[in-house]
Amino acid sequence: MPGKKNMKKCTGREVARRSHDQVRETLAAWLREWRIEKALAIEESTVSIVLYGAGRGVERKRSEPPRPGEVRLLRPEDAFSCRRPRYVLVLESDPRVGNVRVVPFSRFSTPAMPGEHRTGHPASPLAVLCAWNVRTLPWGRVQRAWKVARWGAARHAAAQRAVAICPFPDADPPPDTAGETGPPLTHPDDPRWNYLREEAAEWDAIEQSCEAVKPAFWVMRERDKENRDAKERLAAESWPEYSPHLPKNHARKSRAKGDHC
Amino acid sequence: MTVSESSSNSSLPGAATSASSSLFAAFDEWRRRCALALCSLGASHQLKTFAWKRFDIFCRRYAPFVPAANAEAGHPLTPPPADCWHLFETRLAVDRTRAGKRYKDWLFEAARAAPGAMLPRLTGGATLLMRDVVRAWLAHEAPRPHTNSLQAPAGGGAPDEAPSLEELLPVDITPADEAAEREWERISVEEARRSWRRLSRRDRVILTARALDLSLADEPVVTAAAARKSMLYAAFHSLLARLADDLRRRYADEESAAICSLARRVLQKMECRALTWARSEKSCAILFSSSERRGLCREKRI
């Protein structure tokens, strides 16, 4: 019947139009927050606000080990963690490896690009998850962080899925996530590129500020002062003199066997 | 306008010190009592005044205005003092439990960590938090036009400098006939060949990751490219910008949307080249294995 055919066409067109409207509103909302943030930027030359310095001197009680699904607030132990609260969702944690895989939350309430997802959580600090910015932090850093919330299995699974399917910033998001993510970056002068670079650089700095995880094997050091990497040697060279640095509980008889040669 | 922690109305050093210590005591009491409503009247008044002043400063920064008569009057957008502090508490909290209000611990720990007086760092940190609260409030609750003009500059700058909202929205131009489609394909293949020669190794790794449906946040991509995530995103942005500039120069008569569509096609062609290149690169083997694992994981979860 002609009427029914027209209704089908109208429905499909209506869906496409609503989808385009949603994309436009999401982008406009994010740009609005971005413009406001730039307008409110604090300049140290004009404002006598004393910003934090990083410090770790505060004694802390032993904290709970991080578990997948927990939302944690990083302690202000570096310059960037001092500028704003940094909330992260724990994805994977393995004490044997010594690292914890986390996903940061956005400071904005609207997703910027396809790699950011609305979580559906009512709290503003946990509204948007930055799946594009997955990080690996040392176990100790995350253990010291404050436990803020714990997500249910469904929300945690949604976060893991968001990380698993995270596309490039300019790629179209999967159709079933179109309503939860931001629109792709198509213009090289899009201000979202600035946001992406700034946020990535800050989290790089947070990762670098963490103590390096020491692997559970012996550390060999050269006695001579040549500028050579102690872990490599050229094929024709003989072994350099070394003094093995053994763990304190290492048994003496293993040294006699020459295990470290 | 400056934000000073000593009382703006006090001229004696002793009075400034007294005001500072009472403000610090008010913050401390708020932290111990957990909510402003449970604090004493004096502390409550101090904190509300502090919040109102900060909120007003940010509103004036957002929308400068000239007060009509009373110079002390607040900005028209600034809420009453009680509302300012209420917004401060509610926007930053995750929930009503103690765990959900850990931002207070964050505020005080940073103030304690460094040597010297705590109050400047404490109020400085509270000001940084208030900035985020004001941003969210202005974005969602402040008066704004009911429509967003598509031609308005998206970044808020001059019209001829920043791209408009219309230019930032994704759009795809599909040629109406086969002849035009073949022409698009021919141009994109030719442009991809030209652009490929100028790509660095890092750019090629990025395109390989893109072709394999990996993310720039994945560790194998970071390892293969030997660069941090921020460098990868910066490199990808630079690649797109160079491609866009090149196409705009060569096809100056085409519409912006057409060039955008052509750029996407060229990118797809370069991805195919990147896959072929990566198969002969030992350092990119990790990308292929990661892509296989990711594909398996994606099938399990979707």
Side-chain angles (χ1 to χ4, degrees):
Chain A
M1 292 177 66
K4 281 193 177 178
K5 275 188 183 176
N6 288 338
M7 283 174 61
K8 279 186 184 176
K9 278 186 185 175
C10 182
T11 302
R13 213 178 295 141
E14 186 68 18
V15 167
R17 189 181 68 81
R18 282 179 193 165
S19 173
H20 188 72
D21 288 346
Q22 195 176 33
V23 166
R24 189 172 59 195
E25 284 175 15
T26 302
L27 180 58
W30 189 91
L31 288 172
R32 180 176 169 80
E33 276 199 78
W34 175 257
R35 273 201 304 270
I36 294 172
E37 176 165 283
K38 291 302 163 188
L40 302 185
I42 298 172
E43 296 169 9
E44 292 184 39
S45 59
T46 59
V47 180
S48 60
I49 294 174
V50 177
L51 294 180
Y52 291 143
R56 301 189 192 190
V58 179
E59 287 296 324
R60 303 184 189 96
K61 299 177 186 177
R62 188 174 290 275
S63 306
E64 295 177 23
R67 294 193 187 90
E70 285 182 352
V71 177
R72 296 236 172 182
L73 171 60
L74 295 184
R75 291 188 184 254
E77 295 178 0
D78 61 85
F80 292 98
S81 299
C82 292
R83 289 184 185 178
R84 55 167 46 94
R86 301 277 180 176
Y87 292 91
V88 296
L89 172 69
V90 177
L91 278 181
E92 297 161 10
S93 67
D94 189 348
R96 292 168 299 178
V97 174
N99 290 329
V100 180
R101 204 152 161 259
V102 299
V103 187
F105 289 89
S106 172
R107 62 184 186 268
F108 298 116
S109 56
T110 311
M113 63 191 84
E116 294 194 349
H117 290 250
R118 290 183 210 273
T119 61
H121 198 280
S124 300
L126 308 184
V128 176
L129 196 69
C130 300
W132 62 272
N133 205 11
V134 173
R135 296 289 170 169
T136 302
L137 298 178
W139 175 271
R141 181 72 195 266
V142 185
Q143 186 180 20
R144 289 192 296 273
W146 291 288
K147 183 180 167 186
V148 170
R150 184 169 177 82
W151 281 13
R155 200 169 265 164
H156 184 59
Q160 286 180 315
R161 178 173 175 271
V163 170
I165 63 172
C166 178
F168 266 54
D170 66 324
D172 290 326
D176 56 338
T177 64
E180 303 168 0
T181 64
L185 280 82
T186 56
H187 199 288
D189 297 331
D190 195 317
R192 288 177 288 169
W193 283 114
N194 297 338
Y195 157 73
L196 195 153
R197 284 203 309 268
E198 286 174 10
E199 196 69 12
E202 289 185 3
W203 273 98
D204 277 350
I206 291 174
E207 273 187 329
Q208 278 183 310
S209 71
C210 298
E211 291 176 355
V213 177
K214 293 183 181 175
F217 53 79
W218 301 340
V219 177
M220 316 296 266
R221 296 193 185 92
E222 282 188 336
R223 278 185 181 169
D224 58 10
K225 301 297 179 186
E226 286 182 14
N227 184 19
R228 183 189 299 167
D229 187 354
K231 298 176 186 174
E232 296 179 354
R233 69 180 183 94
L234 301 177
E237 290 181 349
S238 57
W239 287 102
E241 291 186 13
Y242 59 83
S243 60
H245 180 73
L246 302 174
K248 289 180 182 176
N249 58 353
H250 181 73
R252 286 239 173 229
K253 56 186 178 181
S254 299
R255 289 182 68 184
K257 288 181 185 175
D259 287 342
H260 45 266
C261 286
Chain B
M1 180 173 295
T2 60
V3 178
S4 173
E5 292 321 314
S6 55
S7 170
S8 57
N9 296 324
S10 299
S11 55
L12 300 175
T17 304
S18 172
S20 300
S21 60
S22 66
L23 181 60
F24 181 81
F27 267 103
D28 193 47
E29 185 181 345
W30 165 69
R31 176 175 156 267
R32 283 184 285 107
R33 302 259 178 123
C34 235
L36 189 72
L38 302 175
C39 295
S40 60
L41 283 177
S44 175
H45 175 74
Q46 290 247 332
L47 294 177
K48 285 179 191 174
T49 305
F50 170 85
W52 183 86
K53 284 184 179 175
R54 294 298 181 279
F55 212 110
D56 193 61
I57 286 171
F58 286 121
C59 287
R60 288 168 189 255
R61 190 184 286 268
Y62 169 68
F65 85 115
V66 178
N70 185 4
E72 297 291 328
H75 192 278
L77 288 176
T78 307
D83 290 351
C84 291
W85 188 264
H86 174 72
L87 285 169
F88 181 78
E89 281 189 324
T90 52
R91 290 274 183 181
L92 296 172
V94 170
D95 55 37
R96 292 187 177 187
T97 63
R98 180 171 172 77
K101 297 180 184 178
R102 287 296 185 186
Y103 71 92
K104 296 181 187 177
D105 298 315
W106 176 87
L107 189 63
F108 277 83
E109 177 155 321
R112 274 197 305 264
M118 271 185 64
L119 184 63
R121 289 193 300 278
L122 188 64
T123 52
T127 303
L128 289 175
L129 293 176
M130 183 60 83
R131 178 197 58 187
D132 291 342
V133 170
V134 173
R135 184 197 68 227
W137 186 85
L138 288 173
H140 296 286
E141 298 184 33
R144 55 185 167 130
H146 293 289
T147 57
N148 294 310
S149 171
L150 286 173
Q151 282 72 40
D160 55 347
E161 290 177 1
S164 64
L165 182 62
E166 190 176 29
E167 290 176 302
L168 299 184
L169 288 170
V171 66
D172 203 12
I173 288 188
T174 307
D177 57 8
E178 288 186 10
E181 175 68 25
R182 284 197 295 272
E183 185 64 17
W184 279 106
E185 280 299 299
R186 185 191 66 76
I187 293 174
S188 58
V189 167
E190 188 181 310
E191 292 297 332
R193 192 183 304 125
R194 283 184 62 255
S195 301
W196 177 258
R197 286 195 293 265
R198 295 196 298 261
L199 294 183
S200 66
R201 184 188 172 278
R202 186 176 295 171
D203 293 338
R204 296 181 182 191
V205 169
I206 290 172
L207 287 175
T208 306
R210 186 183 158 86
L212 293 173
D213 277 342
L214 296 174
S215 162
L216 288 179
D218 290 345
E219 284 305 318
V221 180
V222 174
T223 305
R228 292 208 158 262
K229 288 188 178 72
S230 58
M231 294 301 297
L232 289 179
Y233 281 111
F236 182 58
H237 178 212
S238 173
L239 189 160
L240 293 182
R242 290 196 313 267
L243 178 63
D245 286 344
D246 197 33
L247 291 177
R248 267 194 227 119
R249 221 173 20 251
R250 291 168 63 78
Y251 304 98
D253 295 335
E254 296 292 337
E255 292 177 359
S256 177
I259 292 181
C260 181
S261 182
L262 177 60
R264 298 189 84 167
R265 288 171 182 253
V266 172
L267 212 57
Q268 283 173 1
K269 298 291 182 288
M270 287 207 288
E271 285 176 24
C272 297
R273 284 181 168 263
L275 272 181
T276 308
W277 168 82
R279 288 199 170 92
S280 60
E281 288 284 316
K282 197 175 173 185
S283 57
C284 295
I286 191 174
L287 298 178
F288 289 96
S289 55
S290 177
S291 174
E292 284 176 12
R293 281 199 305 273
R294 190 179 165 104
L296 289 173
C297 289
R298 196 178 305 171
E299 284 171 5
K300 281 182 190 174
R301 285 175 183 144
I302 295 178

